[in-house]
Amino acid sequence: MASRARVRAPELTGKGGWLNTGNNDLTLSDLRGRIVVLDFWTFCCVNCLHVLDELRELEERHRDTLVIIGVHSPKFVHEADHQAVVDAVERYGVEHPVLDDPELVTWKQYAVRAWPTLVVIDPEGYVVAQHAGEGHAHALAALVEELEAEHTAKGTLRRGDGPYVAPEPVATDLRFPGKAVRLPGGSFLVSDTTRHQLVELAGDGEQVLRRIGSGERGLAPDSFNEPQGLALLPDGTVAVADTVNHALRVFDPETGGLETVAGTGTQWFQGSPTSGPAREVALSSPWDLAWWRDRLWIAMAGVHQLWTYDPATGMVEAAAGTTNEGLVDGPAAEAWFAQPSGLAAAGDRLWVADSETSAVRWVEPAADGDGYVVRTAVGTGLFDFGHRDGAADQALLQHPLGVTALPDGSVAVADTYNHALRRFDPATGEVTTLATDLREPSGAVLADDDIVVVESARHRLTRLRLPEEAVRVESVAHRTQRAATEVAPGALRLEVVFQPPAGQKLDTRYGPSTRLLVSATPPELLAEGAGAGTDLTRDLVLADGVAKGVLHVSAMAASCDTAPDSGPDAEFYPACHVHQQDWGVPVEIADGGVARLGLVLAGLDTA
């Protein structure tokens, strides 16, 4: 066995307590003898949801030796609400213990800097590896097998049932529904996300007319996997964003037929094609859909982009966004989004709920007729959110998931984490509140003079009369609660740690296999060092006169398997893996601050 660094794992502490344990608290001593993977996640984060899905197979295969512990570490204020965490654990089918850590105590103890982060603890209670971002399932599988062999030989591995206790199921017609669309006959088609089905409800929004799908996860002709967005197509069929299948399906309400029209069933990663025949191009967590300008537009939450699908040609292509996460307006190909999760077409505008920036944005044709441009109506960036009405440049939302075009040209916003329905009026530039006391609204659809809201965490559709005057609420503003890193003025050494997993090496057959992109908010924070490059280390220079800001760091590394027991010149096997992560690191300039910023992509930071 290769020697590895051994760091004693800190205790697991969270004010919210434990879920999925039958009301039992867990300690690391309870887990001694088992391999433990800590998954630091928050339920707003689509990358965290990807990792949950990646871990399912590993969790099942090593159920008698491996214990996965979700450490829920909130970004948004709403995510610190214990009941919201309880809901999220059920919503996303989390089948392992979860520690609710609303004050980020365990996050800080493990020096975590990004969602998601995975930490591996060996059976003797030592941290042996850390991974940030997605795409590490293969590395974890190899490490778990290595630890099993090592600790079986040492006699320190304890096999048996884990501490997971399934919660009691709850009977409701819908379970965490995502989106809805009104069919021409007046009924509603709803994505019943947690039950992996579509449900048709009568015009009253309550009576179940039929269920579509087996209710089992999958891409079979009668299955879905956490479906979300729905869009009525010109021919009367309904397009479905089959989110965790990374696919688009088309449902025919007349015949009951279901067809896969886009996606391969696997997740898109950097370097994959971004256009081509729809069934040959991978997608990444399509979250919502809208028919606009003779195309089906796709909110591709998993890669922070908008894509289009043309049924006439059977082609898909990326239409807006660079895959970098943030809020940047401009030409569509240069714009940045952050988990776009809601779409609504209205004339020459396509409205977008950009959830992670708590923003409402829109796409429109460029003035010169060449392509599209992206603009922002409400929202300032990744770290500012709240519930504030008024002028759009001062108004605040909190992780909105849906937008609905209203007859007067304004747009209703499912302001999900504020439990509210908001309205932005382009004519006045004002944001108002239409309704409160909704539980995690995720979308809405017009029905005559009413608006029907998908009240996801109350498992129902809720019909509201569109009010002539908005509800008044007390203004609240928030910022993400992560503590800023104090950095010394002037030079700052940025080092992204990447150690290829055992049995792999960097894939340099076609040039550099790593990529690093650095930027800042505000941009003036960086005097030198912004931009793209292939080296995972970079010397930054912080500008004089800027006291604080956020460093945005995006890193990618590609590694390929080598032959077992081979030397450094071994031939590559075809299996290659992409490791990637985006960090937003709040920093404050302070005398005595650090001059080195280490971010772990894979491995351990021993500097």
Side-chain angles (χ1 to χ4, degrees), residues 403-494:
V403 281
T404 305
L406 299 180
D408 64 356
S410 65
V411 58
V413 184
D415 193 5
T416 309
Y417 288 2
N418 280 328
H419 310 298
L421 188 68
R422 311 286 292 282
R423 174 177 175 263
F424 168 66
D425 185 353
T428 65
E430 294 286 314
V431 174
T432 52
T433 299
L434 296 177
T436 58
D437 193 31
L438 300 168
R439 186 70 182 171
E440 292 192 15
S442 54
V445 59
L446 293 176
D448 303 320
D449 294 329
D450 297 335
I451 187 166
V452 176
V453 180
V454 181
E455 205 175 352
S456 186
R458 284 200 176 111
H459 321 292
R460 69 188 188 191
L461 301 188
T462 299
R463 184 181 291 262
L464 303 172
R465 178 70 63 178
L466 282 172
E468 294 182 5
E469 294 185 4
V471 176
R472 294 189 179 275
V473 298
E474 183 178 350
S475 294
V476 179
H478 302 290
R479 279 187 64 83
T480 301
Q481 62 173 312
R482 283 182 297 162
T485 298
E486 291 191 348
V487 296
L492 177 65
R493 178 75 165 176
L494 172 65

XYZ file of all heavy atoms in Angstrom, residues 403-494:
695
model
N -40.259 31.439 -13.270
C -40.773 32.706 -13.790
C -41.982 32.404 -14.660
O -42.042 31.372 -15.335
C -39.710 33.483 -14.610
C -38.738 34.191 -13.703
C -38.967 32.563 -15.570
N -42.951 33.340 -14.639
C -44.180 33.187 -15.418
C -44.524 34.526 -16.038
O -44.643 35.534 -15.313
C -45.348 32.724 -14.517
O -44.983 31.534 -13.832
C -46.604 32.478 -15.348
N -44.663 34.571 -17.348
C -45.026 35.812 -18.032
C -46.492 36.133 -17.762
O -47.374 35.281 -17.918
C -44.780 35.667 -19.528
N -46.773 37.377 -17.348
C -48.135 37.811 -17.041
C -48.710 38.605 -18.210
O -47.968 39.153 -19.031
C -48.132 38.657 -15.759
C -47.629 37.932 -14.496
C -47.670 38.859 -13.290
C -48.446 36.668 -14.228
N -50.045 38.702 -18.289
C -50.675 39.342 -19.459
C -50.288 40.798 -19.662
O -50.319 41.290 -20.798
C -52.172 39.208 -19.141
C -52.271 38.040 -18.221
C -51.029 38.079 -17.392
N -49.914 41.514 -18.583
C -49.603 42.943 -18.728
C -48.148 43.195 -19.102
O -47.697 44.344 -19.110
C -49.944 43.687 -17.433
C -49.101 43.236 -16.240
O -48.304 42.282 -16.402
O -49.246 43.825 -15.157
N -47.385 42.156 -19.411
C -45.995 42.332 -19.790
C -45.014 42.201 -18.639
O -43.794 42.209 -18.855
N -45.524 42.094 -17.422
C -44.645 41.875 -16.280
C -44.384 40.379 -16.116
O -44.899 39.553 -16.874
C -45.261 42.468 -15.008
O -46.457 41.781 -14.673
N -43.588 40.029 -15.113
C -43.234 38.633 -14.907
C -43.385 38.298 -13.431
O -42.962 39.063 -12.555
C -41.794 38.334 -15.399
C -40.770 39.202 -14.694
C -41.447 36.872 -15.230
N -44.068 37.178 -13.158
C -44.180 36.670 -11.792
C -42.987 35.764 -11.516
O -42.548 35.012 -12.392
C -45.484 35.901 -11.609
N -42.468 35.835 -10.298
C -41.267 35.101 -9.922
C -41.597 34.186 -8.747
O -42.077 34.659 -7.705
C -40.125 36.063 -9.529
C -38.853 35.279 -9.224
C -39.896 37.097 -10.621
N -41.349 32.899 -8.918
C -41.453 31.962 -7.802
C -40.192 32.148 -6.959
O -39.136 31.589 -7.268
C -41.579 30.532 -8.304
N -40.306 32.979 -5.920
C -39.161 33.345 -5.078
C -39.033 32.262 -4.001
O -39.473 32.422 -2.862
C -39.382 34.729 -4.478
C -38.129 35.305 -3.850
O -37.074 34.670 -3.961
O -38.221 36.391 -3.242
N -38.387 31.182 -4.372
C -38.531 29.906 -3.688
C -38.142 29.956 -2.219
O -38.905 29.547 -1.340
C -37.699 28.845 -4.430
O -38.048 28.884 -5.820
C -37.971 27.461 -3.871
N -36.960 30.461 -1.916
C -36.502 30.412 -0.531
C -37.068 31.530 0.325
O -36.894 31.533 1.548
C -34.975 30.431 -0.481
C -34.322 29.143 -0.936
C -35.073 28.061 -1.391
C -32.943 29.007 -0.920
C -34.477 26.888 -1.814
C -32.323 27.830 -1.333
C -33.101 26.781 -1.784
O -32.480 25.627 -2.194
N -37.774 32.489 -0.291
C -38.539 33.471 0.476
C -39.986 33.048 0.651
O -40.782 33.776 1.255
C -38.501 34.844 -0.201
C -37.219 35.596 0.077
O -36.620 35.461 1.144
N -36.768 36.388 -0.886
N -40.356 31.886 0.114
C -41.732 31.371 0.236
C -42.732 32.408 -0.272
O -43.776 32.638 0.342
C -42.050 30.996 1.683
C -41.026 30.114 2.324
N -40.747 28.851 1.840
C -40.216 30.302 3.389
C -39.803 28.298 2.596
N -39.452 29.158 3.524
N -42.416 33.027 -1.404
C -43.235 34.136 -1.886
C -43.384 34.092 -3.396
O -42.594 33.461 -4.111
C -42.610 35.469 -1.466
N -44.412 34.775 -3.877
C -44.575 35.042 -5.297
C -44.313 36.532 -5.486
O -44.989 37.375 -4.889
C -45.984 34.677 -5.765
C -46.218 34.727 -7.277
C -45.433 33.617 -7.974
C -47.713 34.579 -7.606
N -43.323 36.864 -6.295
C -42.919 38.254 -6.514
C -43.292 38.660 -7.945
O -43.632 37.813 -8.776
C -41.412 38.402 -6.306
C -40.866 37.791 -5.014
C -41.201 38.600 -3.777
N -40.513 39.881 -3.757
C -39.214 40.037 -3.426
N -38.474 38.980 -3.114
N -38.669 41.242 -3.411
N -43.161 39.949 -8.231
C -43.475 40.457 -9.573
C -42.473 41.530 -9.942
O -42.192 42.441 -9.148
C -44.893 41.026 -9.609
C -45.280 41.718 -10.915
C -46.736 42.171 -10.850
N -47.156 42.936 -12.014
C -47.185 44.255 -12.081
N -46.811 44.998 -11.034
N -47.606 44.873 -13.180
N -41.929 41.428 -11.163
C -41.096 42.486 -11.724
C -41.832 43.101 -12.900
O -42.280 42.396 -13.814
C -39.750 41.942 -12.193
C -38.977 42.931 -13.031
C -38.496 44.105 -12.472
C -38.758 42.699 -14.384
C -37.810 45.034 -13.243
C -38.071 43.616 -15.168
C -37.598 44.786 -14.598
N -41.952 44.426 -12.875
C -42.645 45.160 -13.938
C -41.617 45.932 -14.761
O -41.046 46.919 -14.279
C -43.666 46.122 -13.330
C -44.508 46.819 -14.386
O -44.212 46.651 -15.589
O -45.459 47.531 -14.013
N -41.338 45.525 -15.993
C -40.346 46.239 -16.808
C -40.735 47.685 -17.085
O -39.862 48.536 -17.284
C -40.301 45.426 -18.108
C -40.885 44.096 -17.766
C -41.894 44.354 -16.695
N -42.038 47.984 -17.069
C -42.476 49.344 -17.384
C -42.078 50.329 -16.300
O -41.740 51.484 -16.576
C -43.994 49.372 -17.587
N -42.105 49.896 -15.051
C -41.776 50.781 -13.935
C -40.417 50.484 -13.324
O -39.893 51.300 -12.547
C -42.836 50.663 -12.829
O -42.802 49.331 -12.280
C -44.229 50.949 -13.375
N -39.858 49.296 -13.627
C -38.606 48.893 -13.011
C -38.747 48.540 -11.545
O -37.760 48.549 -10.807
N -39.963 48.207 -11.096
C -40.231 47.930 -9.688
C -40.456 46.435 -9.440
O -41.005 45.722 -10.285
C -41.478 48.698 -9.224
C -41.320 50.206 -9.208
C -40.455 50.673 -8.050
O -40.663 50.205 -6.911
O -39.561 51.519 -8.286
N -40.047 46.005 -8.242
C -40.315 44.650 -7.771
C -41.288 44.738 -6.603
O -41.096 45.551 -5.688
C -39.017 43.951 -7.317
C -39.318 42.591 -6.699
C -38.065 43.797 -8.497
N -42.338 43.924 -6.652
C -43.326 43.892 -5.581
C -43.559 42.445 -5.169
O -43.101 41.510 -5.835
C -44.662 44.514 -6.035
O -45.070 43.899 -7.266
C -44.512 46.013 -6.250
N -44.299 42.273 -4.080
C -44.642 40.937 -3.594
C -46.121 40.689 -3.827
O -46.970 41.460 -3.373
C -44.311 40.800 -2.093
O -42.908 40.989 -1.910
C -44.701 39.430 -1.571
N -46.450 39.617 -4.527
C -47.839 39.279 -4.827
C -48.459 38.411 -3.738
O -49.645 38.518 -3.461
C -47.926 38.546 -6.170
C -47.497 39.328 -7.408
C -47.566 38.432 -8.636
C -48.391 40.549 -7.604
N -47.673 37.510 -3.162
C -48.222 36.607 -2.139
C -47.083 36.067 -1.291
O -45.955 35.901 -1.765
C -48.986 35.445 -2.784
N -47.395 35.808 -0.021
C -46.434 35.202 0.895
C -47.050 33.928 1.482
O -48.158 33.540 1.114
C -46.056 36.177 2.020
O -47.251 36.570 2.711
C -45.360 37.416 1.466
N -46.339 33.307 2.401
C -46.791 32.078 3.058
C -47.022 30.957 2.058
O -47.905 30.122 2.216
C -48.049 32.312 3.894
C -48.328 31.118 4.821
O -47.353 30.468 5.252
O -49.510 30.839 5.083
N -46.207 30.935 1.009
C -46.132 29.782 0.127
C -44.911 28.978 0.572
O -43.933 29.546 1.034
C -45.983 30.221 -1.320
C -47.118 31.098 -1.868
C -46.710 31.709 -3.203
C -48.393 30.284 -2.017
N -44.947 27.665 0.428
C -43.831 26.854 0.919
C -42.996 26.371 -0.264
O -43.401 25.482 -1.006
C -44.358 25.660 1.723
C -43.271 24.826 2.409
C -42.637 25.563 3.555
N -41.570 24.772 4.168
C -40.727 25.227 5.073
N -40.818 26.475 5.486
N -39.781 24.450 5.570
N -41.844 27.019 -0.455
C -40.916 26.705 -1.542
C -41.625 26.630 -2.901
O -41.614 25.598 -3.570
C -40.156 25.414 -1.262
C -39.190 25.533 -0.098
C -38.216 24.361 0.012
O -38.090 23.594 -0.967
O -37.591 24.226 1.071
N -42.247 27.718 -3.337
C -42.848 27.705 -4.684
C -41.760 27.535 -5.734
O -40.712 28.173 -5.661
C -43.507 29.082 -4.778
C -42.710 29.943 -3.842
C -42.318 29.041 -2.704
N -42.002 26.667 -6.703
C -40.974 26.361 -7.700
C -41.396 26.682 -9.129
O -40.603 26.542 -10.057
C -40.573 24.883 -7.607
O -41.707 24.040 -7.707
N -42.642 27.094 -9.311
C -43.128 27.442 -10.631
C -44.575 27.892 -10.532
O -45.204 27.776 -9.475
N -45.110 28.414 -11.624
C -46.512 28.852 -11.641
C -46.998 28.858 -13.078
O -46.210 29.000 -14.027
C -46.671 30.235 -11.010
N -48.307 28.728 -13.234
C -48.909 28.710 -14.562
C -50.210 29.498 -14.509
O -50.929 29.475 -13.503
C -49.150 27.252 -15.035
C -50.070 26.498 -14.086
C -49.662 27.212 -16.453
N -50.506 30.240 -15.567
C -51.737 31.023 -15.621
C -52.930 30.116 -15.903
O -52.842 29.163 -16.688
C -51.637 32.095 -16.695
C -50.614 33.212 -16.451
C -50.568 34.150 -17.651
C -50.951 33.976 -15.185
N -54.059 30.451 -15.259
C -55.324 29.748 -15.506
C -56.428 30.794 -15.473
O -56.903 31.174 -14.393
C -55.557 28.662 -14.460
N -56.788 31.312 -16.647
C -57.774 32.375 -16.765
C -57.293 33.597 -15.975
O -56.225 34.105 -16.255
C -59.151 31.870 -16.311
C -59.583 30.645 -17.099
O -59.341 30.615 -18.323
O -60.124 29.701 -16.492
N -58.072 34.050 -14.985
C -57.675 35.239 -14.222
C -56.856 34.886 -12.984
O -56.557 35.761 -12.163
C -58.922 36.023 -13.776
C -59.674 36.620 -14.966
O -59.002 36.946 -15.973
O -60.904 36.750 -14.879
N -56.498 33.625 -12.845
C -55.768 33.171 -11.672
C -54.350 32.754 -12.060
O -54.038 32.550 -13.239
C -56.467 31.972 -11.016
C -57.851 32.313 -10.504
O -58.093 33.501 -10.220
O -58.687 31.396 -10.401
N -53.519 32.639 -11.046
C -52.210 32.042 -11.235
C -52.130 30.849 -10.288
O -52.470 30.947 -9.106
C -51.073 33.058 -10.986
C -49.718 32.454 -11.360
C -51.080 33.591 -9.564
C -48.595 33.483 -11.471
N -51.730 29.706 -10.817
C -51.665 28.468 -10.050
C -50.194 28.193 -9.747
O -49.384 28.013 -10.656
C -52.307 27.296 -10.822
C -52.151 25.996 -10.040
C -53.783 27.593 -11.084
N -49.864 28.188 -8.466
C -48.490 28.078 -8.012
C -48.181 26.632 -7.624
O -48.976 25.986 -6.929
C -48.249 29.009 -6.806
C -46.802 28.890 -6.317
C -48.575 30.448 -7.181
N -47.023 26.149 -8.071
C -46.546 24.847 -7.620
C -45.888 25.069 -6.255
O -44.786 25.596 -6.156
C -45.535 24.239 -8.609
C -45.078 22.864 -8.121
C -46.140 24.142 -10.003
N -46.613 24.705 -5.212
C -46.119 24.895 -3.850
C -45.401 23.604 -3.454
O -45.965 22.705 -2.835
C -47.280 25.231 -2.919
C -46.853 25.994 -1.699
C -48.022 26.431 -0.840
O -49.188 26.295 -1.234
O -47.741 26.933 0.268
N -44.138 23.535 -3.804
C -43.431 22.259 -3.806
C -43.367 21.601 -2.435
O -43.618 20.404 -2.290
C -42.011 22.457 -4.359
O -41.356 21.220 -4.499
N -43.000 22.363 -1.405
C -42.819 21.754 -0.085
C -44.138 21.560 0.663
O -44.130 21.031 1.771
C -41.852 22.579 0.758
N -45.272 21.997 0.071
C -46.582 21.619 0.601
C -47.240 20.579 -0.299
O -48.400 20.225 -0.095
C -47.488 22.844 0.768
C -47.133 23.693 1.984
C -48.283 24.589 2.427
N -47.930 25.316 3.638
C -47.721 26.632 3.700
N -47.827 27.375 2.592
N -47.402 27.216 4.830
N -46.542 20.153 -1.338
C -46.956 19.015 -2.156
C -48.314 19.254 -2.824
O -49.162 18.370 -2.875
C -46.999 17.732 -1.314
C -45.876 17.618 -0.333
N -44.579 17.436 -0.740
C -45.854 17.706 1.022
C -43.800 17.397 0.340
N -44.540 17.577 1.397
N -48.479 20.460 -3.382
C -49.783 20.770 -3.953
C -49.671 21.924 -4.946
O -48.660 22.625 -4.996
C -50.775 21.140 -2.852
C -50.459 22.480 -2.188
C -51.338 22.751 -0.979
N -51.160 24.108 -0.458
C -51.649 24.532 0.701
N -52.338 23.696 1.468
N -51.451 25.784 1.092
N -50.757 22.113 -5.708
C -50.945 23.327 -6.491
C -51.831 24.272 -5.686
O -52.819 23.841 -5.087
C -51.602 23.020 -7.838
C -50.878 22.053 -8.783
C -51.584 22.027 -10.136
C -49.425 22.407 -8.955
N -51.498 25.550 -5.705
C -52.251 26.545 -4.949
C -52.714 27.635 -5.905
O -51.893 28.272 -6.578
C -51.387 27.152 -3.832
O -50.991 26.113 -2.933
C -52.153 28.220 -3.072
N -54.029 27.838 -5.975
C -54.603 28.822 -6.909
C -54.736 30.170 -6.199
O -55.268 30.265 -5.096
C -55.966 28.345 -7.395
C -56.612 29.264 -8.450
C -57.969 28.725 -8.845
N -57.853 27.497 -9.595
C -57.899 27.404 -10.920
N -58.060 28.499 -11.653
N -57.820 26.233 -11.519
N -54.221 31.214 -6.859
C -54.289 32.571 -6.327
C -54.929 33.494 -7.343
O -54.696 33.365 -8.551
C -52.885 33.096 -6.003
C -52.017 32.281 -5.030
C -50.616 32.861 -5.013
C -52.626 32.295 -3.637
N -55.728 34.428 -6.841
C -56.225 35.497 -7.704
C -55.104 36.506 -7.896
O -54.441 36.899 -6.939
C -57.433 36.174 -7.049
C -58.018 37.329 -7.836
C -58.719 36.880 -9.108
N -59.876 36.029 -8.829
C -60.668 35.543 -9.767
N -60.418 35.807 -11.035
N -61.680 34.777 -9.448
N -54.854 36.898 -9.147
C -53.824 37.905 -9.381
C -54.280 39.231 -8.779
O -55.273 39.820 -9.223
C -53.577 38.076 -10.885
C -52.723 36.997 -11.546
C -52.722 37.176 -13.054
C -51.302 37.047 -11.010
N -53.602 39.708 -7.741
C -54.066 40.924 -7.069
C -53.719 42.177 -7.862
O -52.724 42.228 -8.582
C -53.296 40.901 -5.743
C -52.050 40.142 -6.061
C -52.412 39.137 -7.106
N -54.544 43.189 -7.694
C -54.251 44.456 -8.341
C -53.143 45.197 -7.605
O -52.397 45.967 -8.196
C -55.521 45.318 -8.390
C -56.614 44.725 -9.281
C -57.831 45.618 -9.350
O -57.781 46.728 -8.796
O -58.840 45.198 -9.960
N -53.032 44.997 -6.321
C -51.984 45.639 -5.543
C -51.126 44.571 -4.878
O -51.601 43.499 -4.520
C -52.587 46.549 -4.475
C -53.340 47.733 -5.063
C -53.822 48.679 -3.988
O -53.486 48.437 -2.814
O -54.512 49.645 -4.321
N -49.876 44.870 -4.730
C -48.944 43.901 -4.160
C -49.046 43.871 -2.635
O -49.463 44.829 -2.008
C -47.514 44.266 -4.555
N -48.674 42.757 -2.087
C -48.562 42.628 -0.635
C -47.307 43.368 -0.188
O -46.267 43.319 -0.838
C -48.458 41.132 -0.251
C -48.253 40.978 1.254
C -49.699 40.385 -0.711
N -47.390 44.060 0.947
C -46.219 44.758 1.487
C -45.521 43.864 2.499
O -46.160 43.258 3.352
C -46.627 46.073 2.138
C -47.171 47.095 1.144
C -47.344 48.456 1.802
N -47.830 49.418 0.833
C -47.043 50.110 0.009
N -45.741 49.930 0.035
N -47.552 50.979 -0.838
N -44.193 43.782 2.417
C -43.414 42.978 3.359
C -42.254 43.816 3.877
O -41.822 44.772 3.243
C -42.857 41.686 2.694
C -43.986 40.805 2.231
C -41.928 42.025 1.543
N -41.779 43.424 5.060
C -40.625 44.102 5.627
C -39.365 43.696 4.877
O -39.133 42.517 4.630
C -40.480 43.726 7.106
C -39.348 44.449 7.817
C -39.286 44.078 9.290
O -40.240 43.425 9.771
O -38.283 44.432 9.937
N -38.551 44.669 4.520
C -37.345 44.391 3.739
C -36.300 43.676 4.578
O -36.066 44.029 5.732
C -36.755 45.690 3.198
O -37.636 46.279 2.264
N -35.680 42.655 3.981
C -34.603 41.916 4.629
C -33.513 41.689 3.599
O -33.797 41.345 2.452
C -35.094 40.551 5.169
C -33.938 39.793 5.807
C -36.222 40.739 6.165
N -32.266 41.910 3.995
C -31.128 41.649 3.111
C -30.184 40.690 3.806
O -30.020 40.718 5.027
C -30.400 42.944 2.765
N -29.565 39.811 3.031
C -28.629 38.823 3.574
C -27.406 38.719 2.673
O -27.459 39.061 1.491
C -29.266 37.427 3.651
C -30.506 37.354 4.468
N -30.513 37.479 5.834
C -31.799 37.152 4.102
C -31.753 37.358 6.281
N -32.548 37.163 5.257
N -26.328 38.211 3.251
C -25.183 37.768 2.481
C -24.826 36.372 2.942
O -25.102 35.995 4.081
C -23.970 38.691 2.672
C -24.033 39.947 1.821
C -22.756 40.747 1.916
N -21.605 40.034 1.375
C -21.301 39.997 0.079
N -22.048 40.593 -0.799
N -20.223 39.359 -0.317
N -24.220 35.587 2.053
C -23.772 34.258 2.430
C -22.914 34.332 3.692
O -22.042 35.199 3.800
C -22.957 33.646 1.277
O -23.802 33.588 0.118
C -22.489 32.251 1.612
N -23.152 33.396 4.644
C -22.560 33.541 5.970
C -21.140 32.995 6.095
O -20.541 33.072 7.164
C -23.449 32.825 6.995
C -23.581 31.318 6.771
C -24.323 30.655 7.917
O -24.031 30.894 9.074
N -25.299 29.830 7.583
N -20.545 32.465 5.032
C -19.179 31.968 5.148
C -18.225 33.084 5.552
O -18.272 34.181 5.011
C -18.712 31.377 3.812
C -19.276 30.004 3.515
C -18.727 29.485 2.206
N -19.131 30.326 1.100
C -18.548 30.324 -0.083
N -17.505 29.561 -0.307
N -18.990 31.085 -1.062
N -17.348 32.799 6.496
C -16.366 33.790 6.928
C -15.360 34.049 5.808
O -14.967 33.141 5.078
C -15.643 33.292 8.174
N -14.954 35.314 5.682
C -13.957 35.667 4.675
C -12.579 35.190 5.116
O -12.265 35.134 6.311
C -13.952 37.171 4.446
N -11.752 34.843 4.148
C -10.358 34.493 4.404
C -9.526 35.771 4.419
O -9.582 36.563 3.472
C -9.836 33.546 3.307
O -10.605 32.343 3.324
C -8.371 33.213 3.531
N -8.783 35.979 5.488
C -7.921 37.154 5.551
C -6.644 36.883 4.759
O -5.936 35.906 5.008
C -7.579 37.489 7.004
C -8.777 38.008 7.794
C -8.383 38.580 9.141
O -7.229 38.362 9.562
O -9.224 39.250 9.766
N -6.371 37.736 3.772
C -5.192 37.583 2.930
C -4.338 38.840 3.047
O -4.849 39.949 3.239
C -5.573 37.319 1.461
C -6.311 35.993 1.321
C -6.433 38.449 0.906
N -3.040 38.642 2.939
C -2.115 39.768 3.035
C -2.224 40.650 1.798
O -2.548 40.167 0.704
C -0.687 39.251 3.193
N -1.980 41.938 1.914
C -2.005 42.813 0.733
C -0.879 42.446 -0.224
O 0.144 41.882 0.156
C -1.806 44.212 1.322
C -1.178 43.996 2.656
C -1.672 42.678 3.157
N -1.115 42.768 -1.502
C -0.071 42.527 -2.500
C -0.127 41.132 -3.083
O -1.175 40.665 -3.532
N 1.015 40.447 -3.075
C 1.140 39.153 -3.746
C 0.389 38.066 -2.995
O 0.438 37.965 -1.771
C 2.611 38.774 -3.869
N -0.332 37.209 -3.750
C -1.048 36.066 -3.196
C -0.814 34.866 -4.100
O -1.115 34.914 -5.302
C -2.549 36.356 -3.099
C -3.437 35.206 -2.595
C -3.103 34.865 -1.139
C -4.909 35.554 -2.747
N -0.252 33.811 -3.545
C 0.010 32.585 -4.293
C -1.228 31.695 -4.242
O -1.667 31.263 -3.174
C 1.198 31.853 -3.669
C 1.558 30.526 -4.338
C 2.252 30.734 -5.654
N 2.903 29.510 -6.119
C 3.514 29.391 -7.285
N 3.574 30.435 -8.100
N 4.086 28.267 -7.643
N -1.821 31.435 -5.397
C -2.969 30.541 -5.506
C -2.481 29.167 -5.952
O -1.816 29.048 -6.984
C -3.986 31.094 -6.509
C -5.149 30.171 -6.868
C -6.036 29.910 -5.659
C -5.968 30.764 -8.011
